[in-house]
Amino acid sequence: MPYNRAMSHLDILLPFGLPPPELARDLLRDLNPPALATLMTRAKTGQHRREFDDFARALPHEMWLASQFSLPAFAAATPDQDRQNSPALACAAMRALGLRVDEGVWFILHPAHIHIARDHLVLTDIRQIGLSEADSRELFDAAAPLFAEVGRALVYGNANTWFLRADDWLGLLSSTPDAACGHNIDIWMPKGNGDQAWRKLQNEVQMLWFAHPLNQRREMQGLQTVNSLWLWGGAAALPPPPGQRDVFNLPDGFNGLSQYAKTAHADAGIANVIAIKPEHGLLTLDQLIQPALTGEWSSWLQQLQTLENTCFAPLLQAMQQRQLDSLSLIVTDNAHMLEFTATRLSLKKFWLKPTLTKLLP
C-alpha cells in the first residue's frame, strides 16, 4: 500500500518587505539574500501587485492577516465598513491578556505620543513609548476617574494596552496605530457613532496628562511624553469559532488572533516551524515594520539580511529536502501587496537566475 503523507504548506507574511519606490533600487542593490531571491524568482505563481487605498484605516498586511481568520465583524454602519474599519480585535486582545469579556462593545486603547508639527498633529510609533508597568498604572489611575464620570468602563490590560467599553459606539470607524503612524491624525481619527464623545474624552485625558509628574520626569530623561490615547479595534463580545490554521509569531496588536487558530505558537524559531510540518501554517515576520514606519532604512536592510540567514535560507533548504512542500510569500508596504507561491517542483527551474527585481515597483 503506498504511503500518503499530508502535504505541508506555509504562508509567510512579510510586512514592509516591499521597499519604498523612491529608494527601492538603491536598497535592493545593498542586499544579498540568495534564498529569498530564489523563492521569489522560481515561484509558481505571483506577479500581480495589488494596490490599496493610501488612506485606508488598516495597513495591507493587517487587512490580509485579519482576513485569514473567522474574525467577527464589528457592527457596520455602512455596507463597506469592514473595508474601511480597523480589524475587530478588542475582545480577542482582552482574552489573550487573561481578561474575561462576555458582553458589550470594546475598543483597544494605547498610551501614545502625538507630535505637534507646524500645522497638524502626528501620531508617532507607539512601540517607542516604552512604558513600564508601574508608569502605565500611574497614568491609568490618573485617567480612570474621567472615564468613570461619563459611565465608561476602562480596563487595564498591560503597560501598552488598555480597553474601553462603549456599547453605544456601534459603527464607529477607527484606524490601527500603524496605519496612522507618521501622518496627520485628522484623517485617521475615529468617525461615526461616538466620535465626538471620544474626542471630548481624549482631550480631557490629554489636558490631565500634560502636567502630570510622570511626563515631567520623562521629559527630564529625554523620553517621549505620553500625551494621548489611540483608540481602535472595536469589537462586540462574541465567542471565537474553531480555528483551522497553525499560527506562528503573530505581530504586536494581533496576538488575540491566536484564539481563532487551530494551534498558536509565539516566538517560534524556524527550526520548530519546519519540525511541526504545518498542513496550513501561517508565519509572520514582523521585524521590518518598525524601521519602515520610522524611516530607518539602514536598520531595515540589516533586519532583512538577518531574516535571510535565520528564516529564508532554512526554509529553502527545508523545501529542497522535502520537509516542506510549498510556501507562499505575502510581501507588503503601506499601500501594496505582492504574493508568490513556490513549490518543490517550481524550485527546479534552475535556468532562472535568482533576483529581487519583483520587489521593484
Side-chain angles (χ1 to χ4, degrees):
M1 181 179 296
Y3 171 69
N4 294 321
R5 69 177 181 88
M7 301 292 283
S8 178
H9 177 83
L10 185 64
D11 288 328
I12 303 169
L13 179 61
L14 185 63
F16 287 97
L18 290 174
E22 67 277 13
L23 300 176
R25 291 190 181 278
D26 291 335
L27 288 172
L28 296 184
R29 191 181 301 119
D30 292 333
L31 275 173
N32 181 33
L36 175 60
T38 298
L39 291 168
M40 287 184 174
T41 304
R42 298 179 183 173
K44 179 181 68 172
T45 60
Q47 302 292 331
H48 179 64
R49 182 182 289 251
R50 181 181 171 191
E51 293 194 12
F52 292 77
D53 185 352
D54 287 338
F55 302 109
R57 291 184 173 272
L59 291 169
H61 75 271
E62 296 172 327
M63 289 187 269
W64 184 89
L65 194 57
S67 74
Q68 300 304 298
F69 301 87
S70 300
L71 190 66
F74 186 42
T78 60
D80 59 350
Q81 172 161 340
D82 287 341
R83 180 180 63 81
Q84 296 179 355
N85 210 355
S86 59
L89 281 168
C91 295
M94 293 179 74
R95 295 189 188 101
L97 290 169
L99 299 171
R100 184 171 178 174
V101 53
D102 297 323
E103 60 182 13
V105 173
W106 294 84
F107 292 84
I108 300 171
L109 288 180
H110 294 300
H113 176 79
I114 291 179
H115 170 68
I116 302 174
R118 186 173 64 178
D119 57 357
H120 60 273
L121 301 176
V122 177
L123 178 69
T124 61
D125 184 5
I126 61 170
R127 298 170 188 81
Q128 296 183 339
I129 290 289
L131 271 179
S132 66
E133 287 288 337
D135 287 354
S136 182
R137 282 282 185 184
E138 189 174 344
L139 291 175
F140 178 90
D141 291 342
L146 296 177
F147 290 82
E149 285 175 10
V150 292
R152 303 289 177 194
L154 182 66
V155 174
Y156 187 90
N158 62 25
N160 302 311
T161 309
W162 309 345
F163 301 95
L164 166 68
R165 181 172 178 177
D167 295 358
D168 55 332
W169 291 1
L170 288 174
L172 180 63
L173 298 172
S174 61
S175 307
T176 69
D178 281 356
C181 179
H183 302 296
N184 182 342
I185 63 171
D186 282 347
I187 299 170
W188 279 270
M189 286 289 286
K191 290 182 175 60
N193 294 345
D195 59 355
Q196 294 303 311
W198 166 245
R199 283 178 182 260
K200 183 175 185 296
L201 192 51
Q202 184 187 37
N203 286 338
E204 289 176 352
V205 172
Q206 289 173 166
M207 289 188 290
L208 175 70
W209 284 353
F210 178 76
H212 194 281
L214 174 64
N215 275 324
Q216 294 175 353
R217 296 197 302 267
R218 288 179 69 89
E219 278 190 314
M220 292 178 63
Q221 296 166 1
L223 300 174
Q224 286 184 344
T225 57
V226 186
N227 59 11
S228 190
L229 285 166
W230 192 257
L231 175 144
W232 70 288
L238 294 171
Q244 304 297 320
R245 308 200 64 174
D246 298 299
V247 176
F248 305 90
N249 303 351
L250 288 166
D252 289 342
F254 285 73
N255 307 32
L257 287 176
S258 61
Q259 296 160 67
Y260 302 92
K262 180 181 177 182
T263 63
H265 309 265
D267 301 320
I270 291 299
N272 291 334
V273 176
I274 295 169
I276 289 171
K277 291 187 169 70
E279 192 171 336
H280 191 200
L282 167 57
L283 168 67
T284 306
L285 303 174
D286 65 353
Q287 292 89 332
L288 304 179
I289 296 177
Q290 183 170 353
L293 289 178
T294 54
E296 299 169 6
W297 297 110
S298 60
S299 177
W300 183 89
L301 286 169
Q302 292 170 5
Q303 292 288 351
L304 190 51
Q305 196 64 54
T306 298
L307 287 173
E308 164 70 16
N309 300 329
T310 60
C311 298
F312 298 120
L315 286 167
L316 176 60
Q317 184 179 44
M319 292 188 68
Q320 292 168 335
Q321 296 178 351
R322 303 174 63 89
Q323 296 172 283
L324 185 65
D325 294 297
S326 61
L327 63 79
S328 294
L329 279 169
I330 300 92
V331 192
T332 72
D333 62 9
N334 64 330
H336 304 88
M337 183 170 69
L338 206 56
E339 184 170 350
F340 308 88
T341 298
T343 65
R344 288 190 290 108
L345 183 60
S346 73
L347 290 178
K348 295 182 183 294
K349 296 185 283 188
F350 60 87
W351 57 89
L352 296 179
K353 182 180 178 181
T355 176
L356 295 175
T357 53
K358 288 183 180 179
L359 294 181
L360 293 172

Coordinates of all heavy atoms in Angstrom, one line a residue, residues 9-11 65 69 96 244-252 254-286:
H9 N 2.1 23.1 3.9 CA 2.2 24.4 3.3 C 2.3 25.5 4.4 O 1.7 25.4 5.4 CB 0.9 24.7 2.4 CG 0.9 26.1 1.8 ND1 1.6 26.4 0.7 CD2 0.4 27.2 2.2 CE1 1.4 27.7 0.4 NE2 0.7 28.2 1.3
L10 N 3.1 26.5 4.0 CA 3.3 27.6 5.0 C 3.1 29.0 4.3 O 3.7 29.2 3.2 CB 4.7 27.6 5.5 CG 5.1 28.6 6.6 CD1 4.3 28.3 7.9 CD2 6.6 28.4 7.0
D11 N 2.2 29.8 4.8 CA 2.1 31.2 4.3 C 3.0 32.0 5.2 O 3.0 32.0 6.4 CB 0.6 31.7 4.5 CG -0.3 31.1 3.5 OD1 0.1 30.8 2.4 OD2 -1.5 30.9 3.8
L65 N -4.0 39.8 7.3 CA -4.0 38.9 8.4 C -5.4 38.7 9.0 O -5.7 37.6 9.4 CB -3.0 39.6 9.5 CG -2.6 38.7 10.7 CD1 -1.9 37.5 10.2 CD2 -1.6 39.5 11.5
F69 N -8.8 34.7 9.2 CA -9.5 34.1 10.4 C -11.0 34.5 10.3 O -11.4 35.5 9.7 CB -8.9 34.6 11.7 CG -7.4 34.3 11.9 CD1 -6.5 35.2 11.3 CD2 -7.0 33.2 12.5 CE1 -5.1 34.9 11.5 CE2 -5.7 32.9 12.6 CZ -4.7 33.7 12.1
A96 N -6.7 37.3 25.3 CA -5.3 37.0 25.2 C -4.5 37.4 26.4 O -3.5 36.8 26.8 CB -4.7 37.5 23.9
Q244 N -8.7 26.9 12.2 CA -8.4 26.0 11.1 C -6.9 26.0 10.8 O -6.4 25.2 10.1 CB -9.1 26.3 9.9 CG -10.7 26.3 10.0 CD -11.2 25.0 10.4 OE1 -10.8 23.9 9.9 NE2 -12.2 24.9 11.3
R245 N -6.1 27.0 11.3 CA -4.8 27.2 10.9 C -3.8 27.1 12.1 O -4.1 27.3 13.2 CB -4.6 28.6 10.3 CG -5.6 28.9 9.2 CD -5.1 30.0 8.3 NE -3.9 29.7 7.6 CZ -3.2 30.4 6.7 NH1 -3.7 31.6 6.4 NH2 -2.1 30.0 6.1
D246 N -2.6 26.6 11.7 CA -1.5 26.6 12.7 C -0.8 28.0 12.5 O -0.4 28.3 11.4 CB -0.5 25.5 12.4 CG -1.1 24.1 12.5 OD1 -1.6 23.8 13.6 OD2 -1.2 23.4 11.6
V247 N -0.6 28.7 13.6 CA -0.2 30.1 13.5 C 1.1 30.3 14.3 O 1.2 29.8 15.5 CB -1.3 31.1 14.0 CG1 -0.8 32.5 14.0 CG2 -2.5 31.0 13.2
F248 N 2.1 31.0 13.7 CA 3.4 31.2 14.4 C 3.7 32.7 14.4 O 3.6 33.4 13.4 CB 4.5 30.5 13.6 CG 4.2 29.0 13.4 CD1 3.6 28.6 12.3 CD2 4.7 28.1 14.3 CE1 3.3 27.2 12.1 CE2 4.5 26.7 14.2 CZ 3.8 26.3 13.0
N249 N 4.0 33.2 15.6 CA 4.6 34.6 15.8 C 3.7 35.7 15.2 O 4.1 36.5 14.4 CB 5.9 34.6 15.1 CG 6.9 33.6 15.6 OD1 6.6 32.9 16.6 ND2 8.1 33.5 14.9
L250 N 2.5 35.8 15.8 CA 1.6 36.9 15.4 C 2.2 38.2 15.9 O 2.9 38.3 16.9 CB 0.2 36.7 16.1 CG -0.6 35.6 15.5 CD1 -1.8 35.3 16.4 CD2 -1.2 36.0 14.1
P251 N 2.0 39.3 15.1 CA 2.7 40.5 15.5 C 2.0 41.2 16.6 O 0.8 40.9 17.0 CB 2.5 41.4 14.2 CG 1.3 40.8 13.5 CD 1.3 39.3 13.8
D252 N 2.6 42.2 17.2 CA 2.1 43.0 18.3 C 0.7 43.6 17.8 O 0.6 44.1 16.7 CB 3.0 44.2 18.7 CG 4.2 43.7 19.4 OD1 4.2 42.5 19.9 OD2 5.2 44.4 19.5
F254 N -1.9 42.0 17.3 CA -2.8 41.0 16.7 C -2.6 39.6 17.4 O -3.1 38.6 16.9 CB -2.4 40.8 15.2 CG -2.9 41.9 14.3 CD1 -2.3 43.2 14.4 CD2 -3.9 41.7 13.5 CE1 -2.8 44.2 13.6 CE2 -4.4 42.8 12.7 CZ -3.9 44.0 12.8
N255 N -2.0 39.6 18.6 CA -1.8 38.4 19.3 C -3.1 37.7 19.6 O -3.2 36.5 19.8 CB -1.1 38.7 20.7 CG 0.2 39.5 20.5 OD1 0.3 40.3 19.6 ND2 1.1 39.2 21.3
G256 N -4.2 38.5 19.8 CA -5.5 37.9 20.1 C -6.0 37.0 19.0 O -6.9 36.1 19.3
L257 N -5.5 37.1 17.8 CA -5.9 36.2 16.7 C -5.6 34.7 17.0 O -6.1 33.8 16.4 CB -5.3 36.6 15.4 CG -5.9 37.9 14.8 CD1 -5.1 38.2 13.5 CD2 -7.4 37.7 14.5
S258 N -4.7 34.5 18.0 CA -4.4 33.1 18.4 C -5.6 32.3 18.8 O -5.6 31.1 18.6 CB -3.3 33.1 19.5 OG -3.9 33.7 20.7
Q259 N -6.7 33.0 19.3 CA -7.9 32.3 19.6 C -8.7 31.8 18.5 O -9.5 30.9 18.6 CB -8.8 33.2 20.4 CG -8.2 33.7 21.8 CD -8.9 35.0 22.2 OE1 -10.1 34.9 22.6 NE2 -8.2 36.0 22.3
Y260 N -8.3 32.3 17.3 CA -9.0 31.9 16.1 C -8.2 30.9 15.3 O -8.5 30.6 14.1 CB -9.4 33.1 15.2 CG -10.2 34.1 15.9 CD1 -9.6 35.2 16.6 CD2 -11.6 34.0 15.9 CE1 -10.4 36.1 17.3 CE2 -12.4 34.9 16.6 CZ -11.8 36.0 17.3 OH -12.5 36.9 18.0
A261 N -7.1 30.4 15.9 CA -6.2 29.4 15.2 C -6.4 28.0 15.7 O -7.0 27.8 16.8 CB -4.8 29.9 15.5
K262 N -6.0 27.1 14.9 CA -6.1 25.7 15.3 C -5.0 25.4 16.5 O -5.3 24.9 17.5 CB -5.7 24.8 14.1 CG -5.7 23.3 14.4 CD -5.4 22.5 13.1 CE -5.3 21.1 13.4 NZ -4.9 20.3 12.1
T263 N -3.8 25.9 16.2 CA -2.8 26.0 17.3 C -2.0 27.3 17.1 O -2.0 27.8 15.9 CB -1.8 24.8 17.1 OG1 -1.1 24.9 15.9 CG2 -2.5 23.5 17.2
A264 N -1.5 27.8 18.1 CA -0.8 29.1 18.0 C 0.6 29.0 18.8 O 0.6 28.4 19.9 CB -1.6 30.2 18.6
H265 N 1.6 29.4 18.2 CA 3.0 29.4 18.8 C 3.6 30.8 18.8 O 3.6 31.4 17.7 CB 3.8 28.4 18.0 CG 3.2 27.1 17.7 ND1 3.5 26.0 18.6 CD2 2.4 26.6 16.8 CE1 2.8 24.9 18.1 NE2 2.1 25.3 17.0
A266 N 4.1 31.2 19.9 CA 4.7 32.5 20.0 C 6.2 32.3 20.1 O 6.7 31.3 20.6 CB 4.2 33.3 21.2
D267 N 7.0 33.2 19.5 CA 8.4 33.2 19.5 C 9.0 31.9 19.0 O 10.0 31.3 19.5 CB 9.0 33.5 20.9 CG 8.5 34.8 21.4 OD1 8.5 35.8 20.6 OD2 8.2 34.9 22.6
A268 N 8.3 31.3 18.0 CA 8.8 30.0 17.4 C 9.9 30.3 16.4 O 9.8 31.1 15.5 CB 7.6 29.3 16.7
G269 N 11.0 29.5 16.6 CA 12.1 29.6 15.6 C 11.8 28.8 14.4 O 10.9 27.9 14.4
I270 N 12.5 29.1 13.3 CA 12.2 28.4 12.0 C 12.4 26.9 12.1 O 11.6 26.2 11.5 CB 13.1 29.0 10.9 CG1 12.7 30.4 10.6 CG2 13.0 28.2 9.6 CD1 11.3 30.6 10.1
A271 N 13.3 26.5 12.9 CA 13.5 25.0 13.1 C 12.3 24.4 13.6 O 11.9 23.3 13.2 CB 14.7 24.7 13.9
N272 N 11.6 25.0 14.6 CA 10.4 24.5 15.2 C 9.3 24.5 14.2 O 8.5 23.6 14.1 CB 10.0 25.3 16.4 CG 11.0 25.1 17.6 OD1 11.6 24.1 17.7 ND2 11.1 26.1 18.5
V273 N 9.2 25.6 13.4 CA 8.1 25.7 12.4 C 8.2 24.5 11.4 O 7.3 23.8 11.1 CB 8.2 27.0 11.7 CG1 7.1 27.1 10.6 CG2 7.9 28.2 12.7
I274 N 9.5 24.3 10.9 CA 9.7 23.2 10.0 C 9.4 21.8 10.6 O 8.8 21.0 10.0 CB 11.1 23.3 9.4 CG1 11.3 24.6 8.6 CG2 11.5 22.1 8.6 CD1 12.8 24.9 8.3
A275 N 9.8 21.7 11.9 CA 9.6 20.4 12.5 C 8.1 20.1 12.7 O 7.7 18.9 12.6 CB 10.3 20.4 13.9
I276 N 7.3 21.1 12.9 CA 5.9 20.9 13.1 C 5.2 20.4 11.8 O 4.2 19.7 11.9 CB 5.2 22.1 13.7 CG1 5.7 22.3 15.2 CG2 3.7 22.1 13.6 CD1 5.3 23.7 15.7
K277 N 5.8 20.8 10.7 CA 5.2 20.4 9.4 C 3.7 20.8 9.3 O 2.9 20.0 9.1 CB 5.4 18.9 9.1 CG 6.8 18.5 8.8 CD 6.8 17.0 8.4 CE 8.2 16.6 7.9 NZ 9.2 16.5 8.9
P278 N 3.4 22.1 9.4 CA 2.0 22.5 9.4 C 1.3 22.2 8.1 O 1.9 22.4 7.0 CB 2.1 24.1 9.7 CG 3.5 24.4 9.2 CD 4.4 23.3 9.5
E279 N 0.1 21.7 8.2 CA -0.6 21.4 7.0 C -1.1 22.7 6.3 O -1.1 22.8 5.1 CB -1.8 20.6 7.4 CG -2.5 19.9 6.2 CD -3.6 18.9 6.6 OE1 -3.5 18.4 7.7 OE2 -4.5 18.7 5.8
H280 N -1.4 23.7 7.1 CA -1.8 25.0 6.6 C -1.3 26.1 7.6 O -2.1 26.7 8.3 CB -3.3 25.1 6.4 CG -3.8 26.3 5.6 ND1 -5.1 26.7 5.6 CD2 -3.1 27.1 4.8 CE1 -5.2 27.8 4.9 NE2 -4.0 28.0 4.3
G281 N 0.0 26.3 7.6 CA 0.6 27.2 8.6 C 0.6 28.7 8.2 O 0.6 29.0 7.0
L282 N 0.7 29.5 9.1 CA 0.9 31.0 8.9 C 2.0 31.5 9.8 O 1.9 31.4 11.0 CB -0.4 31.7 9.2 CG -0.4 33.2 9.3 CD1 0.2 33.8 8.0 CD2 -1.7 33.8 9.5
L283 N 3.0 32.0 9.2 CA 4.2 32.6 9.9 C 4.3 34.1 9.6 O 4.3 34.5 8.5 CB 5.5 31.9 9.5 CG 6.8 32.5 10.0 CD1 6.9 32.4 11.5 CD2 8.0 31.8 9.3
T284 N 4.3 34.9 10.7 CA 4.5 36.3 10.5 C 5.9 36.7 10.8 O 6.4 36.4 11.9 CB 3.5 37.1 11.3 OG1 2.2 36.7 11.1 CG2 3.6 38.6 11.0
L285 N 6.6 37.5 9.9 CA 7.9 38.0 10.2 C 7.7 39.5 10.2 O 7.7 40.2 9.2 CB 8.9 37.6 9.0 CG 9.0 36.1 8.8 CD1 9.9 35.8 7.6 CD2 9.6 35.4 10.0
D286 N 7.7 40.1 11.5 CA 7.3 41.5 11.6 C 8.5 42.4 11.9 O 8.3 43.6 12.3 CB 6.3 41.6 12.7 CG 6.8 41.3 14.1 OD1 7.9 40.7 14.2 OD2 6.1 41.5 15.1

